[in-house]
Amino acid sequence: MEVVSVNSSVLTIISILLVGVVLLLTDFSQFPTYVASNQGIIALLLFLGVVTFFLRMLRNYSVFRVAAYTDVSLLHYLPAGMLAGVVSIYGPLKSGELVAMEIYRENFSVQRGESLSVIAVGRIFDVVIILSFVSTSLLLLPSSEVVLLYTYLAVLISILAVVIAALVSKRVGLALLRITRPLFIWKLSRIHSFVENLANDYYRSLMELKDSRIFSLLTLTTAGRWGLELVGFSMLMNSFGIRLNILQLMSVLGFSYAIGVSSGTPGALGSSQLTALGILVLLGADAGTAGLALVINLAISTVLYITLLLISLLWLWIQNGARPKSP
């Protein structure tokens, strides 16, 4: 656990440094004028952010219900579901998902393996969308200028192919666990045993998700979420006079999400913004203006998630306080 704590601290520091680089490149002189003349756009972006968040949150809930992992009503699910949705975003190396799994277990009696299967399948759908964005966007990026991006993409696809194979195939996943067992020495052997038990529960639960209704729900909610991401980002860029066609939007979002998530920084913070800034400049945008757009986007999402976090905690406190005490 000490190793995990050290890695988390290092990744957090790296994310702060990367955000610092973006801030240094940002032209803040435009900030007062922009906010004064684009309050409607900011409010609309906040609204789109809320809808996008709830689509992602309801993706898990709808699968939990169809798979009969829980029978709680949507109203009862919302406060803890909101909390899980917020914490799943943050945490180095996607560790927030582990906290979300515990929230689902404590509040809805969804076992770890069951929630992990739902989260993993949802993430696979996200990965498919992101890679389709990146692959399509490569049609407009000159290879002579983005050799590193091509190299990164090739490495990323190779790694993801192994990860996805392990997620969908019990044989591959358990084989990888057997291969890695010698690495878990001394006290770490307990972690490996826990992971093995979780993996067995996960693969059992995964088989229960082979339902056409679940596939349809995942497709609709994932497509809706990423469609709104494109619409919101397009509105943000247009409000700064940065005109991007659909391929260019897919390029910025695809690469920034892919590199941001794979970097392991908490919530892809720093790495995602710096990647997006680099591609926007490559596409002809002014660095200072593009930087300000990304900083405002980050500020909007931060305000949104903090607000949702506070609402969920207050709602849970009221909900728990209203429950009758056991005799």
Side-chain angles (χ1 to χ4, degrees):
M1 298 300 293
E2 292 179 359
V3 174
V4 174
S5 177
V6 171
N7 289 338
S8 299
S9 299
V10 170
L11 289 171
T12 301
I13 292 172
I14 290 174
S15 68
I16 293 173
L17 291 175
L18 293 176
V19 170
V21 173
V22 175
L23 293 176
L24 286 174
L25 296 173
T26 297
D27 180 10
F28 284 100
S29 64
Q30 305 175 49
F31 180 77
T33 303
Y34 177 83
V35 172
S37 57
N38 290 279
Q39 294 178 4
I41 293 293
I42 293 174
L44 188 53
L45 289 174
L46 275 168
F47 173 75
L48 287 177
V50 171
V51 176
T52 302
F53 174 84
F54 275 92
L55 270 176
R56 188 165 53 82
M57 184 192 71
L58 292 175
R59 178 173 70 179
N60 286 355
Y61 172 73
S62 60
V63 177
F64 287 156
R65 287 299 302 266
V66 173
Y69 290 157
T70 185
D71 60 356
V72 300
S73 66
L74 178 58
L75 185 62
H76 181 78
Y77 177 85
L78 279 175
M82 288 168 58
L83 178 61
V86 174
V87 300
S88 67
I89 297 170
Y90 296 100
L93 300 172
K94 303 304 293 179
S95 57
E97 299 284 20
L98 300 177
V99 180
M101 286 166 52
E102 293 303 311
I103 294 173
Y104 296 139
R105 188 174 67 88
E106 291 292 331
N107 291 273
F108 314 125
S109 299
V110 179
Q111 299 306 304
R112 293 189 183 99
E114 294 170 343
S115 59
L116 179 59
S117 65
V118 174
I119 291 170
V121 172
R123 291 301 183 185
I124 289 174
F125 272 67
D126 288 335
V127 166
V128 170
I129 294 291
I130 291 173
L131 288 182
S132 67
F133 280 8
V134 171
S135 301
T136 304
S137 69
L138 290 177
L139 297 173
L140 62 89
L141 295 176
S143 57
S144 59
E145 296 184 25
V146 289
V147 174
L148 288 178
L149 290 180
Y150 276 105
T151 303
Y152 172 81
L153 181 61
V155 173
L156 178 64
I157 291 176
S158 300
I159 294 174
L160 287 176
V162 175
V163 172
I164 292 175
L167 288 175
V168 301
S169 171
K170 181 177 181 179
R171 180 179 298 179
V172 175
L174 295 183
L176 287 175
L177 282 176
R178 286 193 294 270
I179 292 172
T180 58
R181 183 179 291 136
L183 300 176
F184 290 78
I185 58 176
W186 299 312
K187 293 182 180 180
L188 294 179
S189 61
R190 297 179 184 177
I191 298 177
H192 194 275
S193 298
F194 171 80
V195 173
E196 281 186 323
N197 292 331
L198 179 60
N200 287 317
D201 291 339
Y202 162 77
Y203 288 115
R204 174 186 54 77
S205 301
L206 191 65
M207 298 301 294
E208 299 171 357
L209 300 184
K210 292 185 176 181
D211 186 308
S212 59
R213 293 174 299 169
I214 291 176
F215 181 84
S216 298
L217 284 169
L218 289 169
T219 301
L220 289 173
T221 52
T222 304
R225 175 259 172 104
W226 287 103
L228 288 177
E229 293 274 8
L230 280 171
V231 170
F233 194 71
S234 176
M235 289 175 51
L236 176 68
M237 292 297 108
N238 285 337
S239 68
F240 278 94
I242 302 174
R243 311 297 177 186
L244 302 175
N245 60 42
I246 185 65
L247 288 180
Q248 291 171 328
L249 288 168
M250 291 166 67
S251 174
V252 178
L253 283 180
F255 274 112
S256 62
Y257 271 97
I259 294 177
V261 172
S262 61
S263 68
T265 57
L269 185 64
S271 53
S272 178
Q273 287 77 28
L274 192 58
T275 301
L277 179 59
I279 296 178
L280 285 169
V281 171
L282 183 64
L283 294 174
D286 175 72
T289 302
L292 182 58
L294 295 172
V295 168
I296 287 179
N297 191 47
L298 177 60
I300 290 174
S301 62
T302 301
V303 169
L304 171 63
Y305 293 140
I306 290 176
T307 302
L308 290 172
L309 176 64
L310 294 176
I311 290 174
S312 66
L313 290 173
L314 178 60
W315 195 345
L316 277 172
W317 179 73
I318 295 173
Q319 188 181 73
N320 292 334
R323 291 177 182 171
K325 295 182 179 180
S326 302

